[in-house]
């Protein structure tokens, strides 16, 4: 079995209330992460009482840790296992005499390649992506966990969004009625003392008509 982790490229220092970002494109060197991951897994199996060959401590484990930018490519890659099957039906080209031919995209070259395998080997590759009963496909940790709303709000306050500069709205041009040229506004005056309320009389049409 293998596990995919999507790790954010920052962390929160709760004491200083600041966001810590890595200084390079990776969080942990791959060689150091291989040994750390190997030690944690084997130690956990040992505490649970599982027996395993001792040479597992000496071989190199595969841990691929790399930056994927904003994470969009990683989410697209993982979505194939979450919301679709491992391989779509249109990519299975033929099933002839116990051999299955299918096409796939090589993740290293980005090109479409073809492969033919015996039916049992093809099913073995597919069943590697089928979880045992009781396992979940996705688990959220850290600030993405359902009980971490307080940490998520703190992170949102620290990462202040960048406000874009709004374009300056040009004032409308007033044309002089005498010379026809644009006028320049020098000042705007408001004469408050000259504003007064005058009781209006009803319109003439509403006044009573005198009897004749």
């Amino acid at each position: 079995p293998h596990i995919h982790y999507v790790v954010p490229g920052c962390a929160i220092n709760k004491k200083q209330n600041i966001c810590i970002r890595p200084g390079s494109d990776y969080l942990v060197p791959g060689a150091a992460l291989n040994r750390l991951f190997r030690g944690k897994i084997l130690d956990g199996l040992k505490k649970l009482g599982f027996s395993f060959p001792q040479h597992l401590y000496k071989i190199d484990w595969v841990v691929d840790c790399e930056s994927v930018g904003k994470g969009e490519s990683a989410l697209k890659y993982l979505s194939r296992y979450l919301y679709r099957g491992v391989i779509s039906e249109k990519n299975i080209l033929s099933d002839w005499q116990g051999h299955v031919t299918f096409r796939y995209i090589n993740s290293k070259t980005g090109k479409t390649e073809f492969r033919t395998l015996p039916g049992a080997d093809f099913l073995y590759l597919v069943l590697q992506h089928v979880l045992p009963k009781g396992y979940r496909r996705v688990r959220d940790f850290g600030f993405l966990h359902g009980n971490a709303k307080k940490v998520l709000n703190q992170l949102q306050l620290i990462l202040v969004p960048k406000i874009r500069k709004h374009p300056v709205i040009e004032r409308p041009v007033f044309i002089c009625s005498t010379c026809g040229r644009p006028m320049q506004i020098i000042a705007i005056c408001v004469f408050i003392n000259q504003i007064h309320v005058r009781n209006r009389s009803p319109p003439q049409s509403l006044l009573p008509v005198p009897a004749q």
Side-chain angles (χ1 to χ4, degrees):
H2 60 278
I3 304 174
H4 296 272
Y5 286 95
V6 179
V7 183
C10 64
I12 300 178
N13 188 334
K14 296 183 178 180
K15 294 183 179 180
Q16 299 181 1
N17 198 25
I18 59 175
C19 181
I20 304 175
R21 300 177 182 270
S24 58
D25 292 336
Y26 62 90
L27 297 176
V28 182
L33 193 59
N34 291 343
R35 296 188 293 268
L36 180 62
F37 187 77
R38 178 184 60 190
K40 293 290 185 181
I41 292 294
L42 295 180
D43 182 66
L45 293 176
K46 187 176 181 180
K47 291 180 179 179
L48 292 174
F50 290 97
S51 59
F52 50 86
Q54 295 300 312
H55 73 274
L56 293 179
Y57 284 101
K58 300 180 180 180
I59 63 176
D60 292 333
W61 287 40
V62 179
V63 177
D64 185 13
C65 180
E66 58 182 317
S67 173
V68 293
K70 295 183 179 180
E72 295 179 1
S73 58
L75 293 177
K76 290 181 180 179
Y77 175 78
L78 294 177
S79 64
R80 293 185 299 174
Y81 302 102
L82 300 179
Y83 302 104
R84 297 189 304 177
V86 178
I87 182 172
S88 59
E89 188 175 354
K90 65 179 181 180
N91 290 328
I92 302 176
L93 304 179
S94 67
D95 180 9
W96 179 254
Q97 295 182 352
H99 286 73
V100 179
T101 302
F102 60 96
R103 61 186 174 189
Y104 65 99
I105 298 178
N106 193 323
S107 59
K108 296 182 179 179
T109 61
K111 297 181 179 180
T112 302
E113 298 182 3
F114 300 88
R115 189 176 181 183
T116 301
L117 294 174
D121 295 341
F122 174 76
L123 291 177
Y124 173 75
L125 294 178
V126 174
L127 292 176
Q128 282 185 333
H129 298 85
V130 177
L131 295 177
K133 184 178 180 180
Y135 280 71
R136 295 178 56 184
R137 287 181 176 267
V138 180
R139 289 184 179 272
D140 297 327
F141 294 91
F143 64 89
L144 294 178
H145 195 271
N147 296 330
K149 294 183 179 180
K150 184 178 180 180
V151 180
L152 181 59
N153 292 335
Q154 182 182 6
L155 181 61
Q156 292 174 344
L157 293 175
I158 295 175
L159 299 177
V160 180
K162 296 181 180 179
I163 302 176
R164 298 180 180 179
K165 294 182 179 180
H166 294 280
V168 179
I169 302 176
E170 298 182 357
R171 291 180 177 271
V173 179
F174 297 96
I175 305 299
C176 179
S177 58
T178 303
C179 64
R181 296 181 179 180
M183 295 189 299
Q184 182 179 2
I185 299 177
I186 299 177
I188 298 176
C189 299
V190 179
F191 300 96
I192 301 178
N193 295 332
Q194 295 183 3
I195 300 177
H196 61 278
V197 180
R198 181 171 59 90
N199 295 326
R200 295 184 56 190
S201 59
Q204 296 295 330
S205 58
L206 299 179
L207 294 176
V209 179
Q212 297 181 354

